[in-house]
Amino acid sequence: MEAYLPIIWAGIIGFAVAMYVILDGFDLGIGILFPFAATEQERDLMMNSVAPFWDGNETWLVFGGAGMLVAFPRAYSIILPAMYLPVIIMLLSLVFRGVAFEFRWLGVTAKRWSVPFAAGSILAAFCQGLILGGLIQGVKVENGAFAGGTFDWLTPFSLLCGCSLVCGYALLGATWLIMKTDGAIEDRARDHAKTLLAVMLIFMAIVSVWTPLAIDRIAERWFTLPNFLFVWWIPAATALVAFATWRWLETGREALPFIGTIMLFLLGFLGLVVSSFPYLVPPSLTIWDTAAAPATQIFMLMGALIMFPIIIGYTIFVYWTFGGKVGEGEGYH
Amino acid sequence: MELDPVMLARIQFAFTIIFHIIFPTFTIGLSAYIATLCVMWMRTGLERYRSLARFWTKIFAVSFAMGVVSGIVLSYQFGTNWSRFSVVTGNVIGPMIGYEVMVAFFLEATFLGVLLFGWDRVPPWLHTMAAIIVATGTLLSSFTILSANSWMQTPAGFEMRDGIAFPVDWLAIIFNPSFPYRLAHMVTAAYLTTSFVVLAVGARYLLSGQQLDHGRTMLRMGVGFAAIVAPLQLFIGDQHGLNTLKHQPLKIAAIEAHWDGSKPGDLVLFAWPDEKTESNRFAITIPNGAALLLTHSWDGLFPGLKSVPPEDRPPVLPPFFAFRIMVGIGLLMIAAAWCGLILWRRGDLFNTRWYLWPLKHAWWTGFVAVICGWVVTETGRQPWVAYGILRTGDAASPVAVNAVATSLVLFVIVYSIVFAMGIYYINRLITRGPDDPLVEQAGRAAPVPSMSARGGAG
């Protein structure tokens, strides 16, 4: 049992990260698309489409942080100092865009908070990409503590990951808008989504080629037998889903483009898991090296087994309560 | 001057957590108030309760948003700035923080959506239910977070192996010796703080002659509540102090500026404690007063600061002064509440300007008392971050001093802007009042399904 605990916890945290990326991804995406809206009324409507959900969505980020602390305290205490500046800037960006939800309609002009909302969303997404890129390329560890420099994470690769994530979240946001709005906003979101899908696929392709070329352990993981026999379907499925999403965008489907984008994200995430597992702090520490005491993981697991179904249940309830399209001219404030 | 990275990290943590605690304090109290208003609306059917609930829900939303975003910062700062602390205590503290997110935070954040936007989307009973769920969620949050903090003050139920804490008995960890007192003290503080905000807004309406009906309702509810709870808080605080004397006597010694434990302590009303000379300057004291309060005997002894070497003592000035400010505010609150009660009995509560005017300007007092209370308990725990387990100086992350300085400056800038804007907007909401169309509308026109929408959700 004890050897499996870290695997279970890696699964739970992986699930939380995936939930966060998808849920906060689309509401960050709305912010990223803010500069491209035609009028402030459109921006109002875009924001209304995510307003009831954003608090709950960001809670997954808090859970990601707390979950790491609970289950893998040693990884938590290495990754965060290593990514110090991107983490801090991401958090501050989230502060700005988060309060914009409440402040925007209270201001003399709504416009005043449009810029911080957009800038905060873009910067938060970009920093999350930097952190991801920095983590994939590896962290310098000595004696179980971070031993690198302040800017170790800053490389062309991590910058590329930053741009990819901004683009990916924007795609999630655009397909969300297709599903939740109609009229001019939906049409424009559809145009944006096509461009963004193309750009995101290019980014995904570059990352997929770059990582095995630059990092031997990743090349070995994917391109040796028998591994390749188990993983070849991931890029194949990605191509298939991408094609389908494109078709759905072309044929005017409402909800399917969003679902297709989510699947693209999940496949990308799966690819990263294949590349890095079982390392939590590549290239040196595995999930077993960094795990908390079994008693801690078990105690928390009991709570997670009870609470996760409940959390998912009421999350669905709230999304259902606020289902349907946001009507034109029916601003929330 | 050479910048000390640990000191910078401490300043940053203090700054971000003081900023954060303002909002939970307010939202713990306000969510309970909103739930009360919703229940009264359900029971009496009176419109004024509904419009008051809706009004305070808008203010709640602004505060909750600031609480959420500043709370995310904290859950990551344990790693970014206090990674040694996370490694040493993570096995024990981690689950408490994890449970907070899982049990409470998700609940609050998700049902807040219903509370805010559900006025016309869900039936009244479900809406009231959401208000109660949010209020319960904030209580559960307090429970877990205060348990974690109390464990740092009075660790129990663990064993140390290779310098790392391992859990032995979860019940002993959760219900560690100082936890029940701290929980009672903090939750009561939150309710009391909020009741004075409600009182201030009520007084403001009565003085300006607008929203008179709402003003009277808030004043009655606030005075009635505070008249009972403010004295109760004095009693709870006293019990908390006695518990601290038992487990962290040096914190009490710092609070009382009591240097020499071989003599009964005087009650120091005012002084300038001098850590160099190990004595109090300009002291005004009541002889043997502290001994009487803490040991319930005229010549009872309790440990003094000089009982340990200087490097094991907490700093004296912050706990000493913060404690006096906190207690002073608490006593003023009792006076204000009882004074209100007397005026109420005489039928003058709503037209006594000399009473309403100070009340209107006293909205911030509870927050200052709460912050001072936390300064007392956190600086009084020094030099330990986890009492007797890990020193603060050994708990920091291996992050370059310039990086910490940069982040501290960014935090100060961003939080100042956000705080100023938050206060400004909340003030605008209060000026507009519960009957203003903007406030009335708030939440009503939540994303409503249009013609093309599926029918099920509406």
Side-chain angles (χ1 to χ4, degrees), chain B residues 21-97:
Chain B
I21 194 63
I22 294 171
F23 302 104
T25 302
F26 190 40
T27 51
I28 290 165
L30 200 50
S31 59
Y33 185 53
I34 291 167
T36 310
L37 287 168
C38 281
V39 169
M40 295 188 56
W41 168 49
M42 293 274 293
R43 288 185 50 173
T44 63
L46 287 174
E47 179 62 20
R48 67 161 180 261
Y49 289 120
R50 193 197 66 103
S51 62
L52 264 184
R54 181 170 265 194
F55 166 70
W56 283 109
T57 303
K58 277 321 297 169
I59 293 171
F60 181 85
V62 177
S63 319
F64 191 80
M66 293 203 273
V68 170
V69 292
S70 58
I72 299 176
V73 170
L74 290 177
S75 89
Y76 280 83
Q77 237 181 144
F78 291 121
T80 52
N81 294 86
W82 301 100
S83 61
R84 280 298 300 162
F85 170 74
S86 304
V87 171
V88 173
T89 64
N91 286 330
V92 179
I93 289 270
M96 256 98 92
I97 295 167

Side-chain angles (χ1 to χ4, degrees), chain A:
Chain A
M1 177 66 184
E2 292 194 358
Y4 290 105
L5 273 173
I7 296 183
I8 295 170
W9 267 104
I12 291 174
I13 289 176
F15 175 77
V17 169
M19 284 296 280
Y20 172 74
V21 165
I22 290 163
L23 293 180
D24 211 30
F26 76 72
D27 74 54
L28 284 166
I30 300 296
I32 298 169
L33 292 171
F34 241 45
F36 304 101
T39 60
E40 284 303 315
Q41 284 73 29
E42 279 196 21
R43 294 195 179 104
D44 282 340
L45 216 62
M46 287 163 72
M47 207 177 210
N48 293 343
S49 76
V50 294
F53 313 115
W54 78 272
D55 289 294
N57 293 349
E58 286 199 353
T59 309
W60 289 98
L61 181 65
V62 185
F63 184 77
M68 279 282 276
L69 171 60
V70 179
F72 303 103
R74 287 184 195 81
Y76 175 86
S77 65
I78 291 168
I79 294 170
L80 289 176
M83 306 295 162
Y84 189 80
L85 287 178
V87 168
I88 298 281
I89 293 171
M90 172 193 79
L91 295 172
L92 287 169
S93 308
L94 290 176
V95 169
F96 253 110
R97 74 175 293 274
V99 296
F101 274 104
E102 301 303 330
F103 288 178
R104 193 168 186 275
W105 72 277
L106 294 166
V108 184
T109 55
K111 219 170 181 164
R112 181 181 288 169
W113 280 96
S114 295
V115 176
F117 183 66
S121 303
I122 294 168
L123 202 55
F126 186 70
C127 287
Q128 286 174 10
L130 288 177
I131 295 165
L132 178 67
L135 201 57
I136 294 172
Q137 63 195 9
V139 173
K140 192 176 170 202
V141 176
E142 277 168 21
N143 300 325
F146 172 59
T150 310
F151 291 98
D152 279 8
W153 46 270
L154 186 62
T155 61
F157 177 73
S158 66
L159 292 172
L160 176 81
C161 290
C163 295
S164 317
L165 209 57
V166 173
C167 183
Y169 283 172
L171 177 61
L172 272 173
T175 50
W176 168 264
L177 285 177
I178 293 172
M179 186 169 71
K180 295 292 283 189
T181 63
D182 43 23
I185 304 181
E186 187 193 341
D187 295 342
R188 194 168 314 106
R190 213 172 270 282
D191 288 341
H192 287 153
K194 285 181 201 161
T195 319
L196 288 164
L197 178 62
V199 179
M200 180 171 146
L201 287 173
I202 294 170
F203 276 131
M204 276 177 105
I206 298 176
V207 171
S208 306
V209 175
W210 191 326
T211 44
L213 284 180
I215 304 166
D216 290 339
R217 67 181 153 79
I218 295 180
E220 205 174 317
R221 176 60 57 84
W222 284 87
F223 299 115
T224 53
L225 289 173
N227 291 6
F228 185 72
L229 298 175
F230 294 108
V231 297
W232 64 269
W233 63 272
I234 297 174
T238 308
L240 203 66
V241 172
F243 177 74
T245 308
W246 183 269
R247 288 291 306 157
W248 291 330
L249 283 170
E250 290 269 306
T251 53
R253 305 302 290 263
E254 306 253 290
L256 284 173
F258 184 60
I259 292 166
T261 309
I262 290 175
M263 286 167 71
L264 282 178
F265 263 88
L266 292 178
L267 285 163
F269 187 62
L270 190 62
L272 292 175
V273 170
V274 168
S275 293
S276 294
F277 192 84
Y279 291 101
L280 204 52
V281 188
S284 51
L285 296 175
T286 66
I287 55 173
W288 290 280
D289 299 330
T290 57
T296 303
Q297 292 197 329
I298 289 172
F299 178 56
M300 199 63 210
L301 191 59
M302 295 188 308
L305 290 179
I306 298 168
M307 286 312 296
F308 262 60
I310 298 175
I311 292 169
I312 291 165
Y314 63 62
T315 303
I316 292 170
F317 165 76
V318 167
Y319 275 80
W320 179 80
T321 304
F322 297 104
K325 293 217 177 203
V326 189
E328 193 93 54
E330 293 173 299
Y332 115 67
H333 292 299

Side-chain angles (χ1 to χ4, degrees), chain B residues 373-411:
Chain B
W374 279 108
V375 168
V376 171
T377 205
E378 296 294 284
T379 57
R381 189 191 57 223
Q382 305 300 329
W384 303 96
V385 64
Y387 204 66
I389 296 176
L390 182 67
R391 281 174 187 262
T392 311
D394 300 328
S397 292
V399 176
V401 65
N402 290 337
V404 185
T406 308
S407 64
L408 176 58
V409 170
L410 288 174
F411 272 118

